[in-house]
């Protein structure tokens, strides 16, 4: 009967129900969009790091992110690392900004990523046209198809000038976006060094060394050994480097704070709207609650009715809100900043909605707690 | 069981308001309600009828004095404990019926059972049984808005008896009803008192209800001033009939 009464109270005043649902819906969509953007951004920031199988990353001191590795590491560090017990492989990875000169004039900044996947380091993923084998052919690079227009190319076979050399699009990936909005240009290690002009002055310059451990080696021991040997470099676990990249782009730039702040505001507005409508609904049904109290109901019973109303509002609002949020996610899939919706986020959003509605019910519960059952005689 | 005291008020004083506005609504009221008996509490407006009803029904607490419900002393009980006493021993009928407008007649009765933790099929069956008992077996699915005042009050009676309380307290149950419906409700209450051996207290200033009472208690200025008992050997319908005939013959 608790749910029946809650349901009837809720649907008794359709206009108020609509206002409540709009409040929840607005809140859900806003929170979903903000958190979806946050997740989408996080994925963009860490996708390259996540697609390596290295346990440890050797970076220059203070490297803030994947794009900020610099080119200060040399072969000497690699050899020192290789000589460390427990290290199986040390694979160089070059990452640096460069100018992409568009075929029809003008230029745009890109991030050149050079690696040799055969050595077990890093390999681009999501190939839609062409393969890494094609990239290895002369002048070969791989770019994401979502950046074709920005790079002023139409597809496989088109060429452009990057830094010091000429490149030709040999493969296209799908779904590799850049948070910095500078498209990634994947190529071999040697070609990357050539494009960045390193082959002339510092042929062995590297941004990162990706360390694969020997079977059975202890991560912390190897890491400490590497730290003591590599005085001019940092040794980070993959998760540490991932977190550092996220912190740099999302929190030091303020982007993440803005997204989380937006989500919080959405939550706040939703809470206020739902609280207001639940409170006024409770006020309208005060005599009924007083009657329940006079009939001997515990205050817990009445609280459950109000929480039932809040819960039902949450479920209906969530379903409608998620439908809209999923439509927005679908519409954003080809934009430079696609929203992400995961099952985990959907569960979190549901929990947030329930929490928001439960908090909203507090004012109504406080009102009803003070109810005097004697008011049933004054009607 | 008949004649057993189920609700006692002993020297109850109730002060309302504070400071200069403080009034003493009840000035040492004592009364006992017995099983199987319909008692009327009559008195002019402001005499303290409703205050006494509220205190007897454990909705208000007395400033001093004692209330004992089915042997339970209510002194010092918390609001939740008083609610439990109401839940276990008292059924209420209100002047304005106080039905839930969004619930059907059956659901309005079921909710009283639900409050007491009685749920499911058995509760639905019991609610239906009570509604049939008050003559509303054909209106189970109807909402209050689609029922007459008399029918609504009968739903309220069904709600009050559904939980088999020891005491039924009715606040002006006929005030909003026409003569026919008022008589039907009073007949129902008198029957419940007798057949179900419950104590029924009806607060009223409607003289038409007098024939149904086993006992009438008069209250004025917060004090019980007089008490009348129905002559032995006459039951409520007979008295009602007698009263009607007297009116017809002038």
């Amino acid at each position: 009967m608790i749910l029946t009464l809650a349901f009837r109270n809720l649907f008794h005043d359709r206009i108020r129900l609509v206002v409540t649902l709009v409040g929840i819906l607005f809140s859900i969509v806003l929170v979903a969009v903000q958190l979806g953007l946050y997740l989408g951004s996080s994925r963009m920031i860490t996708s390259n790091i996540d697609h390596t199988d290295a346990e440890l990353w050797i970076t220059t001191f203070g490297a803030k992110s994947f794009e900020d590795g610099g080119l200060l590491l040399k072969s000497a560090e690699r050899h020192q690392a290789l000589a460390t017990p427990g290290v199986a492989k040390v694979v160089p990875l070059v990452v640096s900004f460069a100018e992409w000169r568009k075929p029809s004039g003008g230029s745009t900044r890109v991030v050149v990523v050079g690696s040799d996947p055969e050595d077990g380091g890093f390999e681009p993923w999501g190939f839609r046209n062409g393969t890494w084998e094609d990239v290895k052919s002369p002048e070969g690079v791989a770019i994401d198809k979502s950046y074709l227009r920005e790079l002023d190319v139409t597809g496989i076979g088109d060429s452009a000038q990057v830094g010091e050399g000429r490149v030709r699009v040999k493969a296209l990936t799908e779904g590799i976006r850049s948070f910095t909005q500078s498209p990634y240009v994947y190529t071999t290690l040697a070609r990357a060094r050539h494009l960045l002009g390193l082959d002339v002055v510092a042929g062995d310059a590297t941004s990162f060394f990706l360390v694969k451990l020997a079977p059975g080696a202890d991560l912390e021991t190897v890491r400490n050994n590497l730290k003591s040997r590599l005085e001019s470099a940092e040794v980070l676990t993959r998760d540490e480097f991932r977190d550092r990249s996220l912190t740099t782009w999302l929190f030091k730039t303020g982007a993440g704070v803005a997204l989380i702040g937006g989500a919080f505001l959405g939550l706040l507005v939703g809470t206020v709207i739902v609280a207001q409508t639940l409170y006024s609904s409770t006020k309208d049904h005060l005599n009924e609650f007083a009657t329940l109290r006079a009939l001997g109901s515990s205050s817990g019973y009445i609280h459950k009715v109000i929480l039932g109303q809040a819960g039902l509002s949450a479920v209906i609002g969530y379903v409608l809100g998620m439908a809209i949020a999923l439509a927005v996610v679908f519409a954003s899939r080809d934009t430079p900043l696609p929203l992400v919706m995961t099952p985990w986020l959907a569960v979190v959003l549901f929990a947030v909605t329930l929490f928001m509605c439960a908090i909203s019910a507090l004012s109504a519960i406080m009102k009803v707690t003070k109810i005097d059952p004697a008011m049933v005689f004054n009607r | 069981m008949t004649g057993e005291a189920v609700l006692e008020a002993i020297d109850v004083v109730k002060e309302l308001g504070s400071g200069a506005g403080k009034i003493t609504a009840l000035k040492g009221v004592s009364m006992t309600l017995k099983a199987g008996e319909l008692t009327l509490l009559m008195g002019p407006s402001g005499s303290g009828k409703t205050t006494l009803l509220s205190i007897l029904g454990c909705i208000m607490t007395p400033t001093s004095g004692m209330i004992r419900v089915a042997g339970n002393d209510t002194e010092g009980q918390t609001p939740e404990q008083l609610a439990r006493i109401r839940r276990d021993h008292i059924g209420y009928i209100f002047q304005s019926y106080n039905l839930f407008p969004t619930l059907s007649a059956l659901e309005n009765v079921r909710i009283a059972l639900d409050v007491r933790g009685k749920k499911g099929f058995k509760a639905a069956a019991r609610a239906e049984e009570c509604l049939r008992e008050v003559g509303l077996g054909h209106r189970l699915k109807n909402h209050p808005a689609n029922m007459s005042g008399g029918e609504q009050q009968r739903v309220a009676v069904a709600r009050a008896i559904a939980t088999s309380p020891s005491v039924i307290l009715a606040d002006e149950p006929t005030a909003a009803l026409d003569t026919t419906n008022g008589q039907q409700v009073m007949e129902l209450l008198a029957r419940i008192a007798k057949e179900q051996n419950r104590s029924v207290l009806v607060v009223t200033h409607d003289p038409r209800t007098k024939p149904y009472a086993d006992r009438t208690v008069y209250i004025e200025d917060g004090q019980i001033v007089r008490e009348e008992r129905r002559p032995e050997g006459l039951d409520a319908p007979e008295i009602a009939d007698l009263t009607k005939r007297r009116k017809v013959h002038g």
Side-chain angles (χ1 to χ4, degrees):
Chain A
M1 284 304 293
I2 287 176
L3 270 185
T4 305
L5 188 57
F7 182 85
R8 300 280 173 80
N9 281 355
L10 203 61
F11 280 81
H12 183 59
D13 187 338
R14 300 284 164 90
I15 292 173
R16 184 161 44 213
L17 176 65
V18 168
V19 173
T20 307
L21 293 180
V22 166
I24 297 172
L25 200 138
F26 168 80
S27 190
I28 300 261
V29 172
L30 193 58
V31 174
V33 166
Q34 297 292 320
L35 292 183
L37 281 173
Y38 180 86
L39 272 188
S41 304
S42 302
R43 278 196 184 176
M44 281 194 279
I45 290 165
T46 63
S47 60
N48 285 300
I49 301 170
D50 291 338
H51 278 86
T52 62
D53 58 357
E55 285 95 348
L56 293 169
W57 284 62
I58 298 173
T59 74
T60 49
F61 259 114
K64 295 189 189 82
S65 66
F66 184 76
E67 292 80 4
D68 187 45
L71 291 160
L72 299 172
L73 297 175
K74 298 281 190 287
S75 300
E77 278 103 353
R78 180 166 184 255
H79 293 134
Q80 280 175 308
L82 276 171
T84 306
V87 171
K89 278 184 185 173
V90 179
V91 185
L93 176 66
V94 165
V95 182
S96 182
F97 284 98
E99 283 297 311
W100 174 288
R101 293 199 197 113
K102 298 177 183 177
S104 59
S107 69
T108 187
R109 269 164 75 82
V110 294
V111 179
V112 173
V113 181
S115 70
D116 287 334
E118 315 52 40
D119 295 338
F122 166 83
E123 181 175 359
W125 65 101
F127 282 103
R128 285 293 169 267
N129 300 95
T131 62
W132 184 253
E133 287 305 310
D134 298 320
V135 176
K136 280 158 61 180
S137 63
E139 298 180 346
V141 292
I143 57 171
D144 195 82
K145 58 194 285 192
S146 59
Y147 292 115
L148 284 173
R149 186 181 293 173
E150 185 176 343
L151 296 174
D152 195 25
V153 288
T154 55
I156 303 278
D158 282 9
S159 61
Q161 181 82 18
V162 175
E164 304 295 319
R166 187 176 178 76
V167 297
R168 191 173 293 276
V169 179
K170 293 285 177 72
L172 291 173
T173 62
E174 191 174 294
I176 305 182
R177 308 286 166 78
S178 167
F179 182 73
T180 62
Q181 298 306 311
S182 297
Y184 294 113
V185 175
Y186 297 103
T187 188
T188 61
L189 187 66
R191 188 167 303 127
R193 284 179 172 146
H194 167 68
L195 295 173
L196 297 169
L198 301 172
D199 50 349
V200 183
V201 289
D204 59 348
T206 300
S207 308
F208 306 103
F209 287 121
L210 310 183
V211 178
K212 279 281 292 172
L213 300 191
D218 177 62
L219 182 78
E220 272 311 305
T221 311
V222 175
R223 183 190 188 187
N224 289 336
N225 274 337
L226 282 169
K227 273 183 177 174
S228 61
R229 284 162 188 252
L230 303 169
E231 290 175 353
S232 58
E234 272 192 282
V235 184
L236 304 172
T237 64
R238 188 168 62 171
D239 286 346
E240 283 173 344
F241 190 47
R242 202 176 173 278
D243 292 346
R244 186 184 283 189
S245 299
L246 280 177
T247 306
T248 298
W249 288 118
L250 287 181
F251 296 104
K252 292 194 174 158
T253 62
V257 176
L259 292 174
I260 291 173
F264 180 73
L265 272 181
L267 207 62
L268 202 66
V269 171
T271 305
V272 170
I273 294 176
V274 179
Q276 236 175 359
T277 52
L278 266 181
Y279 184 80
S280 78
S281 164
T282 303
K283 262 185 87 173
D284 281 2
H285 293 282
L286 219 49
N287 273 312
E288 289 157 43
F289 290 128
T291 303
L292 271 179
R293 199 77 175 116
L295 292 178
S297 88
S298 62
S299 34
Y301 187 93
I302 297 173
H303 297 169
K304 281 181 199 164
V305 174
I306 295 171
L307 284 172
Q309 277 179 248
L312 283 170
S313 309
V315 170
I316 301 168
Y318 174 79
V319 169
L320 297 174
M322 274 303 277
I324 295 176
L326 287 174
V328 174
V329 168
F330 182 76
S332 77
R333 71 196 187 287
D334 289 328
T335 65
L337 196 51
L339 271 67
V340 170
M341 176 60 68
T342 62
W344 177 84
L345 179 57
V347 170
V348 166
L349 278 174
F350 185 58
V352 163
T353 313
L354 283 179
F355 176 73
M356 176 179 81
C357 289
I359 290 288
S360 305
L362 278 182
S363 58
I365 284 174
M366 280 164 68
K367 175 81 184 167
V368 97
T369 300
K370 294 177 191 158
I371 207 166
D372 178 8
M375 71 184 281
V376 290
F377 297 115
N378 304 330
R379 287 181 73 188
Chain B
M1 186 72 182
T2 309
E4 185 188 327
V6 288
L7 202 161
E8 292 169 274
I10 303 161
D11 200 20
V12 168
V13 174
K14 181 65 181 176
E15 291 172 348
L16 299 172
S18 59
K22 186 157 86 178
I23 55 156
T24 306
L26 296 176
K27 300 166 183 168
V29 172
S30 295
M31 75 184 292
T32 301
L33 299 180
K34 291 179 177 171
E37 202 173 73
L38 190 151
T39 306
L40 289 189
L41 180 61
M42 299 188 84
S45 293
S47 58
K49 297 189 301 289
T50 302
T51 305
L52 180 57
L53 186 82
S54 304
I55 289 175
L56 291 173
C58 301
I59 281 180
M60 284 171 112
T61 50
T63 307
S64 68
M66 185 190 284
I67 299 292
R68 196 176 289 142
V69 182
N72 301 302
D73 193 345
T74 63
E75 196 178 349
Q77 303 278 310
T78 63
E80 287 303 314
Q81 287 168 329
L82 290 174
R84 172 172 281 277
I85 291 173
R86 290 199 293 275
R87 191 154 71 225
D88 293 343
H89 300 291
I90 297 167
Y92 265 110
I93 298 165
F94 307 101
Q95 180 180 348
S96 313
Y97 328 127
N98 287 42
L99 298 178
F100 293 81
T102 57
L103 300 181
S104 68
L106 188 71
E107 289 166 336
N108 263 290
V109 180
R110 271 188 71 182
I111 201 158
L113 293 160
D114 198 64
V115 157
R116 286 156 178 86
K118 292 173 182 160
K119 299 169 193 293
F121 181 75
K122 275 189 179 175
R126 171 69 182 150
E128 189 175 334
E129 181 191 337
C130 292
L131 282 166
R132 290 194 191 286
E133 208 170 315
V134 299
L136 290 175
H138 60 298
R139 305 284 264 160
L140 301 177
K141 304 268 183 218
N142 286 78
H143 282 69
N146 301 322
M147 301 173 99
S148 70
E151 285 175 325
Q152 289 187 55
Q153 196 57 295
R154 279 191 279 156
V155 173
V157 172
R159 181 174 68 183
I161 62 172
T163 56
S164 309
S166 326
V167 190
I168 292 172
L169 302 176
D171 181 36
E172 305 274 9
T174 59
L177 303 177
D178 59 25
T179 305
T180 311
N181 277 309
Q183 278 176 353
Q184 280 178 356
V185 167
M186 285 309 296
E187 274 169 20
L188 194 57
L189 291 174
R191 188 156 54 82
I192 287 164
K194 289 285 165 298
E195 292 175 5
Q196 299 183 10
N197 195 35
R198 299 191 202 295
S199 176
V200 179
L201 175 69
V202 176
V203 164
T204 183
H205 39 21
D206 180 358
R208 294 172 302 176
T209 58
K210 276 191 75 177
Y212 300 92
D214 295 303
R215 187 164 65 120
T216 305
V217 176
Y218 294 89
I219 185 169
E220 278 179 35
D221 293 330
Q223 286 176 308
I224 290 177
V225 291
R226 147 168 93 89
E227 204 176 310
E228 286 173 3
R229 275 206 167 266
R230 189 173 57 204
E232 290 291 325
L234 281 179
D235 64 11
E238 283 174 40
I239 291 182
D241 195 40
L242 191 66
T243 312
K244 269 187 227 165
R245 269 187 273 136
R246 271 187 196 150
K247 275 186 183 169
V248 171
H249 298 295

